Amino acid sequence: MSSHALNKGMDMASRTTRWILAAPAAAALLGCVSGTPNYDREFGKALRANLASQVLDPAAGANTDPAAGIDGQAARAAHEQYQHSYSRPQAEPARSLIGTGK
């Protein structure tokens, strides 16, 4: 065999070896690439839109004059009356079974 043919055979073997080594390395590097850039960019967008749509006034925290309501004593009395309405039911007035004809 001539040296030219021998070199050609070695060249082919080294080229094949390079491909055998390079192919798995390239495949491993492709595993590092993000395959879902559009999904990643849009992730959570619907949730943020839903949360934002539930906010009536985004600047409400900066309001130094909150909505005026009833005074504290009236609010407490109304709350206590509401709570007691469930603990002791009010007696209903007696109903007549006979109509008055009006």
Side-chain angles (χ1 to χ4, degrees):
M1 207 182 248
S2 71
S3 65
H4 181 63
L6 187 60
N7 283 341
K8 190 173 181 183
M10 292 289 280
D11 235 9
M12 187 68 130
S14 66
R15 204 178 291 167
T16 304
T17 304
R18 279 190 223 147
W19 275 106
I20 289 173
L21 295 175
L29 286 176
L30 285 175
C32 298
V33 176
S34 175
T36 60
N38 291 331
Y39 297 129
D40 294 344
R41 188 176 329 119
E42 300 294 322
F43 187 78
K45 196 173 190 179
L47 174 68
R48 287 188 296 275
N50 286 338
L51 288 175
S53 70
Q54 295 177 24
V55 175
L56 182 63
D57 183 12
N63 186 0
T64 58
D65 184 26
I70 60 175
D71 65 343
Q73 287 180 332
R76 179 183 295 267
H79 184 262
E80 286 176 0
Q81 183 180 1
Y82 172 76
Q83 292 295 327
H84 291 303
S85 70
Y86 288 103
S87 62
R88 58 173 199 269
Q90 294 178 352
E92 292 186 24
R95 293 187 184 172
S96 173
L97 296 178
I98 302 173
T100 57
K102 290 185 181 180

